[in-house]
Amino acid sequence: MHTRTVFFISDGTGITAETFGNAILAQFEFKPRHVRLPFVDTVDKAHQVVRQVNHTAEVEGRKPLVFTTLVNIEILRVIEQGCRGMLLDMFGTFVRPLEVELGLKSNHRVGRFSDASKSKEYHDRIEAINFSLAHDDGQSNRDLEGADVILVGVSRSGKTPTSLYLAMQYGLKAANYPLIPEDFERQQLPPALAAHRKKIFGLTIQPERLAEIRNERRPNSRYAALENCRAEVAEAEAMMRRAGIRWLSTTTKSIEEIATTILQEIRPERLVY
């Protein structure tokens, strides 16, 4: 059962408020109830939010935690004056002091996705996502010279989610290739990758964890058998060592940690934030 309700309030998507708030809350051992309230872009909606927060405070008998990224001062004032929660105004905490220090006024833009249709960065991100989907699991060899990174590893070692995260979060064109028995027999990387060795990064995983993951997809199959997983992982790691490819184990790492390590190693010239 949750011990406290946390509200994430924004006049945009609420993603920034929720991401930042969750990073802070992760420092504490408790299980809050999360309520995201995006697109609070009018005074009337702000009053509705105040009523919802105050009702929660009354029912639960304790202050809700309220993270906000509200740009509009009039809307923020309604929240500040009316809500009976612990208010954590991220823009007030960080943006206004920076305005003083830099001697500049912020553009008071609502969210990172505003005016997306006019943003080159947004279109680059969409193009990267489409590229990663088209080059998932070795589906296509076309345009690999346009890839920022190419991930290799045995099936179910985390290549697809990492590729999509790199595309969505950083706008990187990430292809991924599974290492299969034919590659192990040749003791070489897939031929299509030979010209792109500098872009390749390898992912591996503990065989025991790999067997668990594969059994969820194809239970009681040779594909998921622990003995087969051990053999594939051993062959893949040996191949990556021979080829001089940088690689890491995904067994105990989050997608964010995997992506950060790849960025440190590959250091692509083009990043979208």
Side-chain angles (χ1 to χ4, degrees):
M1 182 178 293
H2 70 271
T3 57
R4 189 73 66 98
T5 295
V6 181
F7 289 89
F8 303 97
I9 303 170
S10 174
D11 32 21
T13 62
I15 292 173
T16 299
E18 194 164 16
T19 300
F20 192 85
N22 282 330
I24 294 173
L25 293 174
Q27 306 302 314
F28 302 92
E29 292 292 335
F30 79 119
K31 293 186 180 297
R33 178 174 73 102
H34 291 66
V35 180
R36 184 196 289 178
L37 299 175
F39 308 119
V40 181
D41 51 8
T42 67
V43 168
D44 181 59
K45 290 180 181 178
H47 283 295
Q48 294 177 35
V49 165
V50 167
R51 287 193 291 271
Q52 185 172 346
V53 171
N54 291 351
H55 175 72
T56 299
E58 183 178 344
V59 169
E60 296 184 350
R62 60 181 64 194
K63 286 184 177 182
L65 307 179
V66 182
F67 291 90
T68 73
T69 51
L70 293 165
V71 171
N72 187 294
I73 298 299
E74 187 179 6
I75 293 171
L76 176 61
R77 190 171 294 119
V78 171
I79 306 293
E80 288 176 332
Q81 294 175 352
C83 103
R84 296 201 298 270
M86 179 185 179
L87 186 63
L88 298 157
D89 173 20
M90 290 180 228
F91 282 0
T93 301
F94 297 103
V95 174
R96 293 184 191 103
L98 275 172
E99 288 180 331
V100 174
E101 178 64 29
L102 297 173
L104 298 170
K105 290 292 292 182
S106 73
N107 60 22
H108 289 265
R109 185 170 60 121
V110 178
R112 65 186 284 194
F113 303 112
S114 64
D115 298 325
S117 62
K118 303 174 185 177
S119 166
K120 179 181 182 301
E121 290 78 10
Y122 180 83
H123 287 287
D124 287 346
R125 196 184 306 274
I126 295 301
E127 185 179 343
I129 293 170
N130 287 332
F131 182 94
S132 296
L133 289 172
H135 294 80
D136 180 44
D137 218 21
Q139 291 183 78
S140 173
N141 296 335
R142 296 180 58 190
D143 305 323
L144 281 179
E145 62 275 6
D148 295 300
V149 60
I150 302 170
L151 302 181
V152 297
V154 298
S155 172
R156 314 304 289 178
S157 59
K159 300 184 303 301
T160 294
T162 302
S163 295
L164 290 176
Y165 181 84
L166 288 168
M168 296 175 70
Q169 187 70 14
Y170 298 105
L172 293 179
K173 293 181 178 179
N176 74 77
Y177 266 75
L179 297 178
I180 58 177
E182 287 81 354
D183 299 318
F184 302 146
E185 290 173 7
R186 290 195 312 269
Q187 296 190 336
Q188 291 182 343
L189 292 168
L193 306 185
H196 310 288
R197 189 176 299 260
K198 291 182 179 179
K199 299 179 180 180
I200 298 176
F201 194 92
L203 300 183
T204 188
I205 187 172
Q206 288 181 356
E208 293 77 11
R209 178 57 183 147
L210 181 61
E212 290 177 6
I213 295 171
R214 289 183 173 184
N215 265 299
E216 292 174 2
R217 187 176 188 183
R218 290 167 57 182
N220 303 316
S221 63
R222 184 180 183 282
Y223 168 77
L226 180 56
E227 182 180 353
N228 180 61
C229 291
R230 283 175 174 157
E232 286 193 23
V233 169
E235 289 282 358
E237 291 181 358
M239 179 180 294
M240 290 186 278
R241 279 192 292 268
R242 287 195 301 271
I245 292 172
R246 295 155 289 184
W247 53 282
L248 63 80
S249 173
T250 64
T251 308
T252 60
K253 288 183 169 55
S254 67
I255 295 297
E256 293 84 356
E257 290 173 312
I258 297 166
T260 299
T261 301
I262 292 170
L263 292 177
Q264 287 179 313
E265 293 289 339
I266 299 293
R267 298 186 182 279
E269 296 179 1
R270 181 176 53 81
L271 284 176
V272 176
Y273 291 96

